[in-house]
Amino acid sequence: MFTVEIDVEKCEGCGECTEGCPADILELDGDKAAVSGDPNDCLGCETCVSVCPTGAITVTES
Ligand code: SF4
Ligand code: SF4
């Protein structure tokens, strides 16, 4: 299982992570990214981490 954390202080709302997530569990909530789908669907691929320009996302295995 993976835990996805988004630091809303760092998120600029660019949407790169929501576009790139292959599990389609990230969405923009206003101008901030959020986990909108089932967190259990996270593949741990860290695509979101790679594409985020501000380092707002961390993925940890738990
Ligand atoms: S690690 Fe991969 S599957 Fe999980 S939220 Fe990020 S992009 Fe989506
Ligand atoms: S890629 Fe980073 S800055 Fe862009 S919406 Fe996602 S968390 Fe926010």
Side-chain angles (χ1 to χ4, degrees):
M1 249 194 78
F2 298 93
T3 303
V4 183
E5 288 180 289
I6 299 167
D7 184 339
V8 294
E9 297 292 324
K10 292 183 180 175
C11 176
E12 295 179 340
C14 68
E16 291 291 329
C17 59
T18 64
E19 293 291 319
C21 176
D24 205 22
I25 60 171
L26 304 177
E27 274 186 14
L28 285 178
D29 179 10
D31 61 352
K32 302 292 179 184
V35 179
S36 62
D38 186 343
N40 292 323
D41 288 345
C42 176
L43 306 169
C45 66
E46 299 199 11
T47 299
C48 53
V49 177
S50 302
V51 299
C52 180
T54 64
I57 308 181
T58 52
V59 177
T60 48
E61 190 163 12
S62 51

